[in-house]
Structure formats: structure tokens, C-alpha cells
């Protein structure tokens, strides 16, 4: 049993790390397609349409016996999930990505655990007791993470070109530099993106209590994301040519993001969220920042600024303060029931002795 538990724990970490590899590739591929004219409004629709077509058949066949009845309240929650992540989060992300850079977008994702933690406290999924070391660590980590994000926003400093010979996409790098005047609005939109994503995990945890079928939930969220995102795209994108797609970066971005970052990601995150909670799910975002910075420098010839490096260091330090506090809290919560059980077991023999003694006294 111990080996099985260890294996499950290892698979959980592998799944979360693998998702960050997928996200790092998405940051670069999507930015490349957006700078080639792909509308992010249309991208969100195609992305979730692909995810729905791929995962709906699996959900239908593999969860036929375990899928609960879809109630009206559960359906409303699914609509809320589709609104928070596919519509609000990803559309704001598409705008903000054009105003900033791939590395900056990935770095801002480090604020996700802090905002998730705050929302979890508000909705009573997490408890804060400042007399406990783990609670104090989570609060300090939250403050540090937000402070690091502010440093990245307000301080840029000198630029570093890590790969000076990577000029294959210098045009896109120039386009990224041209948007420096929109850096602050882009940051605000990115914070809105992260807040919507954090809300998605909080609502997902709540929905799984009533609808514990992860694959079916994934397919339904992607379906509603396609419908709701399509309604928004029809209003915001009036050019018929924006909906055209061929065998190019548009198809690559929609297919890659739909399968990896919507379908597989929603499913794995729901499985882990159900057992470990939303704060644990969001604890691995710094890996995406590191991988995306390298890919952005190689593929898009992007520069990394000193402010981003300093802010990223503060964010990572704060993040792992939150993670340490969360793990310590989990270990303490597991030890307490064992201590109570051992105490009851120790008291039980004495009780039996008293009862036996009383019975003996009644004998002639």
C-alpha cells in the first residue's frame, strides 16, 4: 500500500510538471500565430472546438457507468467554468500577450498560486492561523509573490539578449518592442487572466463534489467554452477572413492548445484538484516561466530584462514559501487524526479493565 501511495504521489508530480512543459510550448506557438494575424477571439473558439471533438468520445465511452446525472445547478457551474477560463482568461491572455512578451506572460503566471490561495481563504477552502508556522509561510509567500509581480511590472532595467545569433524571427521581436507603450495595460490584463484562472480552479474543486467525472467535466467545459467563446468572437471579430484557417501556424496553435492545454490539462488538473486542492495544482507555474523564457529567446529572439529576472526570483521564493506551508499543513492534518486514534487506543484497555473488574464484583 505504501508503494502504491508513493507511486500515485510520483505520478501526480510528473503530471503537473509535464503540463508546464506543454504550457511553455503554447506560449511561444500562440504568440507566433497571433503576430501572424490570427485573431485571439477566433483562436479560443477553435481551440475548444478541437478539445471537444477529441475528448467528448472518450468521456462518453469511459465514464458511462460513473458519470452522475447532470443537474441544473451543476450545469450552471459548468457554464461558469467555461466563462472564467476559456472566455475571460484566454481572451484577456490573447490581448495581453500581444502587448508584452512570451517570457513575461509565463512569468506573470507565477502570481497564480498566490491569487488562488487568497480565493481559497475567502471561500473557506483554506484556513489561516498566524500562530502556525505553515500559515505564516503561506501569507508571507503570497505577499512576496505579489511584490515580485509588481517589480516585473514597474522596473525593466537593461535588456539581455541570451541568444544574440537567433534572428530568425527578428520581425516579431521588433513587434514586441513596438508594444512597450502598452506594457502597463498588458500587465493589468494579464493579472485579470490569472484571476480568472484562479477562480476556475476554485469553482472546479466545488463542481467536482457534485460531478465527480473528470473527463466528462472536461468535455462539457470545452463544449461550453466553444459556445460562449463563439458568441463573444462573433461580436468582437467582424472580419470574415479572421475565421479562415489552413495548414499553417493557426491550425498548429488551435490543435496544440486544444489537445494539450485544454483537454489534457483540464482533465489532469481536475483529477489532482479533487484530491490535493487548487493551491497544489497551481504550485508548478514557475517551471513554465523558465522554459518559456528559453524558447522565447531562441524562437522569437526576445530579450529578457533585469526587472523580469529580479521579479521572477522574488516570485519563485514567495511561491515555494506558499508550497512549503501547504505541505506542512497537509502533514500536520494527517498526524493529528493518528495521534487521536493512538490516544483512544491507549485509553481503551483501561476501560475494558474497569468493566471486567465490575463484572467480577458481581460474581458470587
Amino acid at each position: 500500500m505504501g508503494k502504491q501511495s508513493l507511486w500515485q504521489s510520483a505520478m501526480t508530480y510528473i503530471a503537473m510538471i509535464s503540463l508546464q512543459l506543454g504550457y511553455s510550448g503554447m506560449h511561444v506557438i500562440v504568440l507566433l500565430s497571433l503576430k501572424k494575424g490570427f485573431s485571439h477571439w477566433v483562436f479560443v473558439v477553435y481551440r475548444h472546438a478541437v478539445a471537444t471533438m477529441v475528448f467528448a468520445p472518450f468521456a462518453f465511452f469511459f465514464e458511462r457507468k460513473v458519470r452522475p446525472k447532470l443537474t441544473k445547478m451543476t450545469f450552471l457551474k459548468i457554464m461558469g467554468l467555461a466563462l472564467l477560463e476559456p472566455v475571460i482568461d484566454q481572451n484577456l491572455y490573447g490581448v495581453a500577450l500581444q502587448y508584452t512578451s512570451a517570457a513575461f506572460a509565463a512569468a506573470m503566471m507565477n502570481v497564480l498560486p498566490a491569487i488562488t490561495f487568497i480565493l481559497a481563504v475567502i471561500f473557506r477552502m483554506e484556513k489561516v492561523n498566524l500562530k502556525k508556522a505553515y500559515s505564516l509561510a503561506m501569507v508571507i509567500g503570497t505577499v512576496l509573490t505579489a511584490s515580485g509581480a509588481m517589480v516585473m511590472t514597474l522596473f525593466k532595467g537593461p535588456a539581455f539578449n541570451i541568444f544574440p545569433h537567433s534572428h530568425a524571427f527578428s520581425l516579431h521581436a521588433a513587434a514586441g518592442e513596438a508594444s512597450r507603450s502598452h506594457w502597463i495595460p498588458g500587465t493589468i490584463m494579464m493579472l485579470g487572466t490569472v484571476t480568472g484562472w484562479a477562480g476556475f480552479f476554485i469553482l472546479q474543486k466545488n463542481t467536482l463534489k457534485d460531478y465527480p467525472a473528470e473527463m466528462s467535466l472536461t468535455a462539457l467545459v470545452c463544449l461550453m467554452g466553444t459556445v460562449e467563446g463563439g458568441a463573444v468572437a462573433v461580436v468582437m471579430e467582424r472580419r470574415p477572413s479572421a475565421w479562415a484557417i489552413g495548414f499553417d501556424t493557426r491550425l498548429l496553435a488551435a490543435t496544440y492548445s486544444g489537445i494539450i492545454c485544454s483537454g489534457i490539462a483540464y482533465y489532469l488538473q481536475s483529477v489532482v484538484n479533487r484530491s490535493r486542492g487548487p493551491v497544489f495544482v497551481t504550485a508548478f507555474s514557475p517551471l513554465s516561466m523558465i522554459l518559456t523564457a528559453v524558447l522565447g529567446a531562441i524562437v522569437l529572439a526576445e530579450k529578457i530584462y533585469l526587472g523580469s529576472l529580479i521579479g521572477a526570483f522574488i516570485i519563485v521564493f514567495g511561491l515555494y514559501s506558499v508550497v512549503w506551508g501547504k505541505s506542512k499543513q497537509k502533514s500536520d492534518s494527517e498526524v493529528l487524526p493518528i495521534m487521536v486514534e493512538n490516544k483512544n487506543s491507549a485509553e481503551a484497555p483501561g476501560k475494558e479493565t474497569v468493566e471486567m473488574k465490575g463484572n467480577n464484583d458481581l460474581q458470587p
Side-chain angles (χ1 to χ4, degrees), residues 8 21 28 35 43 94 102 123 169 218 225 269 289 291-292 352:
Q8 291 177 349
L21 289 172
V28 176
K35 288 184 175 180
F43 162 70
F123 290 99
F169 295 95
T218 296
Q269 288 163 350
M289 173 195 68
L291 295 169
T292 304
E352 291 175 358

Side-chain angles (χ1 to χ4, degrees), residues 151-152 154-162 177 180 183 302-311:
V151 170
M152 294 185 67
L154 301 177
F155 175 66
K156 298 194 71 173
F160 298 95
N161 194 351
I162 299 179
E177 292 298 315
R180 291 184 63 179
W183 196 268
E302 290 184 342
K303 296 178 181 179
I304 298 178
Y305 294 91
L306 179 62
S308 296
L309 295 176
I310 296 175

Side-chain angles (χ1 to χ4, degrees), residues 148-355:
M150 293 301 296
V151 170
M152 294 185 67
T153 303
L154 301 177
F155 175 66
K156 298 194 71 173
F160 298 95
N161 194 351
I162 299 179
F163 299 94
H165 299 292
S166 180
H167 299 297
F169 295 95
S170 58
L171 177 62
H172 306 305
E177 292 298 315
S179 65
R180 291 184 63 179
S181 61
H182 300 290
W183 196 268
I184 299 299
T187 301
I188 295 174
M189 292 179 186
M190 195 62 70
L191 286 174
T193 293
V194 178
T195 303
W197 202 4
F200 172 82
F201 288 119
I202 298 297
L203 184 56
Q204 184 188 60
K205 174 72 172 179
N206 180 268
T207 306
L208 286 168
K209 294 179 181 179
D210 302 324
Y211 198 77
E214 293 87 352
M215 193 172 294
S216 298
L217 181 62
T218 296
L220 288 170
V221 170
C222 291
L223 175 61
M224 294 309 302
T226 305
V227 174
E228 295 178 17
V232 173
V234 168
V235 175
M236 300 300 297
E237 185 57 75
R238 302 296 181 88
R239 298 174 298 127
S241 60
W243 295 85
I245 192 169
F247 290 95
D248 50 15
T249 55
R250 297 186 179 191
L251 181 62
L252 175 63
T255 304
Y256 178 93
S257 300
I259 296 176
I260 303 297
C261 302
S262 286
I264 294 178
Y266 291 170
Y267 173 71
L268 291 179
Q269 288 163 350
S270 63
V271 171
V272 178
N273 195 357
R274 185 181 174 188
S275 60
R276 297 294 188 95
V279 176
F280 181 87
V281 173
T282 60
F284 296 84
S285 54
L287 296 177
S288 177
M289 173 195 68
I290 298 171
L291 295 169
T292 304
V294 175
L295 289 175
I298 297 174
V299 179
L300 304 178
E302 290 184 342
K303 296 178 181 179
I304 298 178
Y305 294 91
L306 179 62
S308 296
L309 295 176
I310 296 175
F313 177 80
I314 297 174
I315 288 172
V316 171
F317 185 80
L319 171 65
Y320 283 101
S321 178
V322 174
V323 173
W324 178 86
K326 182 64 178 175
S327 62
K328 186 67 176 177
Q329 181 188 42
K330 184 176 184 296
S331 62
D332 286 358
S333 64
E334 291 175 348
V335 169
L336 184 59
I338 296 175
M339 293 176 62
V340 173
E341 183 179 351
N342 291 338
K343 183 179 179 180
N344 293 336
S345 300
E347 292 176 352
K351 184 177 180 181
E352 291 175 358
T353 303
V354 173
E355 291 178 351

Side-chain angles (χ1 to χ4, degrees), residues 102-123:
F104 182 82
M108 286 301 296
M109 291 298 107
N110 289 302
V111 187
L112 178 63
I115 296 180
T116 305
F117 173 70
I118 293 172
L119 292 178
V121 171
I122 293 174
F123 290 99

